[in-house]
């Protein structure tokens, strides 16, 4: 694989780890205690990160011809 392809794979791995951590945190009671606007921003952040991960996954699939 090319160096840039390896970087994309590593970026997706790191991003997916952050998404998982954010999701777990959003399931805690502390999340519900945040102001509504902050909860909304975090939910939108989670959605955006998930969409970005999806695009990276598509790129990776393109690298491998899958």
């Amino acid at each position: 694989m090319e160096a840039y392809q390896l970087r994309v794979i590593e970026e997706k791995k790191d991003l997916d780890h952050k998404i998982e951590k954010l999701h777990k945190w959003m399931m805690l009671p502390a999340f519900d205690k945040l102001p509504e606007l902050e909860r909304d921003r975090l939910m939108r952040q989670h959605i955006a990160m998930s969409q970005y991960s999806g695009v990276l996954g598509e790129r990776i699939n393109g690298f491998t011809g899958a």
Side-chain angles (χ1 to χ4, degrees), residues 18-28 31 46:
K18 291 176 183 178
I19 292 168
E20 181 181 339
K21 284 175 55 175
L22 177 57
H23 179 76
K24 285 180 180 180
W25 188 82
M26 290 170 67
M27 296 296 109
L28 296 175
F31 178 77
H46 185 272

